[in-house]
């Protein structure tokens, strides 16, 4: 079946991240977490976003934990002496985390308590960790997100984490008539950030245990809509890590021309591989058992080929 609402940014981002139409509350990264979180001492740190809320990391049980590029975001008034009072922080914490009879207040207090505890655990672990020697461009937002991922990986033993899924993002690829001028800079930022991150995994000795892969809502058209490139379909993606069988192109490379069997109209290239096959290949390497693959990726039943082969 065709993905619903092709060429719509928000819809295709949801389909990429969840294999479901927009509005889905569970993504395949989160479902990986559901299946493998038992390996982690603190399940809170199983699915971590450095780029805001993403359905990709939401599971049935696992909740995504969000941090900023500089680490966990804490409630400032819970430390120090707010308003010049040593008792104010403790009083505020008691108010935020007390057990209330109202179900909504009780749930808010539970979530706030979890957030405060997680922030304290991660903050203490990061503060005690030696700084990374690998340099990340401070002007590159994606590089700074990946720097935080590397730092969290560096304290995995302190956190008791053995299986983690991270989410970072970079925007600006909806280039239209700015493609020639804009895309090279975007590719440069992406390349620099991923290069620094891979070198950080080498520094930490975890390159064989960390795999970085790209995702996007769709590619661009080969023709102009009168205002440059338009919303396309098939696109190329890359996977980086010590466990990747690199140096090869996986799948059938399309004929980059108009009016071919790969062109479904307006220079939109027909994909030769499904996102779910891409995801299943990553899932198997990550430790998702074959018998649980349908739980992680319900649409995998549509495909006889479930392992594309790019992971060792």
């Amino acid at each position: 079946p065709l993905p619903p609402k092709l060429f719509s940014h928000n819809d295709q981002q949801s389909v990429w991240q969840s294999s479901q139409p927009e509005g889905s509350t569970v993504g395949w990264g989160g479902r990986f977490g559901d299946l493998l979180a038992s390996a982690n001492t603190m399940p809170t740190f199983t699915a971590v976003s450095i780029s805001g809320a993403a359905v990709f990391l939401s599971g049935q049980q696992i909740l995504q934990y969000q941090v900023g590029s500089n680490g966990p975001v804490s409630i400032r008034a819970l430390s120090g002496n707010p308003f010049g009072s040593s008792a104010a922080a403790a009083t505020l914490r008691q108010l935020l985390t007390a057990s209330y009879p109202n179900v909504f207040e009780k749930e808010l207090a539970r979530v706030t308590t979890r957030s405060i505890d997680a922030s304290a655990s991660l903050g203490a672990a990061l503060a005690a960790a030696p700084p990374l020697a690998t340099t990340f461009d401070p002007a590159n937002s994606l590089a700074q997100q990946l720097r935080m991922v590397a730092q969290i990986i560096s304290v995995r033993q302190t956190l008791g984490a053995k299986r983690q899924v991270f989410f970072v993002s970079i925007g600006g690829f909806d280039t239209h008539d700015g493609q020639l001028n804009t895309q090279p800079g975007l590719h440069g930022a992406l390349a620099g950030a991923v290069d620094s991150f891979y070198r950080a995994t080498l520094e930490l000795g975890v390159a064989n245990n960390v795999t970085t892969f790209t995702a996007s809502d769709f590619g661009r058209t080969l023709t102009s809509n009168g205002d440059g490139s338009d919303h396309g379909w098939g696109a190329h993606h890359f996977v980086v890590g010590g466990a990747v069988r690199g140096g090869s192109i996986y799948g059938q490379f399309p004929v980059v021309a108009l009016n071919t069997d790969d062109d479904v109209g307006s220079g939109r290239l027909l994909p030769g591989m499904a996102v779910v096959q891409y995801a299943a290949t990553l899932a198997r390497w990550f430790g998702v058992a074959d018998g649980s693959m349908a739980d992680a990726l319900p649409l995998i039943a549509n495909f006889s080929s479930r392992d594309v082969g790019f992971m060792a």
Side-chain angles (χ1 to χ4, degrees):
L2 291 176
K5 300 181 181 179
L6 280 170
F7 320 125
S8 160
H9 285 297
N10 53 310
D11 289 287
Q12 295 316 299
Q13 287 173 20
S14 180
V15 170
W16 248 99
Q17 295 183 38
S18 67
S19 296
Q20 299 293 326
E22 186 184 21
S24 173
T25 57
V26 179
W28 49 274
R31 289 194 292 263
F32 289 3
D34 285 339
L35 294 168
L36 300 171
S38 59
N40 299 333
T41 302
M42 290 185 277
T44 297
F45 302 115
T46 300
V48 182
S49 174
I50 298 87
S51 187
V55 69
F56 173 72
L57 291 180
S58 294
Q60 297 286 3
Q61 290 83 39
I62 286 298
L63 302 174
Q64 58 183 300
Y65 178 63
Q66 298 179 39
V67 302
S69 294
N70 293 317
V73 180
S74 59
I75 300 174
R76 186 178 303 172
L78 291 183
S79 60
N81 295 316
F83 306 108
S85 169
S86 59
T91 302
L92 176 60
R93 181 181 180 118
Q94 183 179 14
L95 289 170
L96 291 172
T97 61
S99 179
Y100 295 95
N102 181 279
V103 65
F104 294 107
E105 291 176 322
K106 182 178 294 185
E107 177 64 9
L108 176 60
R110 187 183 71 83
V111 171
T112 303
T113 300
R114 184 180 67 219
S115 175
I116 292 170
D117 293 344
S119 176
S121 297
L122 181 57
L126 292 173
L132 292 169
T134 303
T135 58
F136 290 80
D137 182 358
N140 184 330
S141 64
L142 182 64
Q144 290 305 300
Q145 292 173 56
L146 287 170
R147 178 184 60 84
M148 179 48 56
V149 173
Q151 289 180 315
I152 295 174
I153 290 173
S154 77
V155 297
R156 65 198 180 281
Q157 292 179 335
T158 302
L159 300 176
K162 295 183 178 181
R163 288 291 186 277
Q164 292 177 286
V165 185
F166 296 92
F167 180 86
V168 298
S169 70
I170 179 174
F173 286 90
D174 191 19
T175 50
H176 291 285
D177 62 356
Q179 180 139 334
L180 289 177
N181 295 324
T182 305
Q183 188 154 286
L186 291 168
H187 282 171
L190 178 61
V194 172
D195 175 65
S196 291
F197 181 67
Y198 179 67
R199 287 189 285 108
T201 64
L202 291 172
E203 176 190 340
L204 296 171
V206 295
N208 289 346
N209 304 105
V210 177
T211 299
T212 306
F213 62 93
T214 57
S216 183
D217 33 6
F218 39 66
R220 309 300 297 177
T221 59
L222 301 180
T223 61
S224 172
N225 66 356
D227 188 30
S229 67
D230 206 342
H231 302 173
W233 193 357
H236 309 301
H237 291 275
F238 62 84
V239 187
V240 178
V244 176
R245 291 174 173 151
S248 297
I249 294 172
Y250 292 83
Q252 181 66 40
F253 201 86
V255 177
V256 185
L258 301 177
N259 301 316
T260 69
D261 290 341
D262 296 319
D263 178 6
V264 298
S266 301
R268 291 183 169 103
L269 296 179
L270 182 71
M273 182 189 304
V275 173
V276 69
Q277 293 173 289
Y278 182 65
T281 307
L282 292 161
R284 177 172 288 178
W285 167 81
F286 195 55
V288 175
D290 288 346
S292 299
M293 198 66 72
D295 295 325
L297 300 163
L299 296 182
I300 196 63
N302 293 335
F303 301 92
S304 58
S305 175
R306 301 184 176 191
D307 189 337
V308 179
F310 57 78
M311 296 301 300

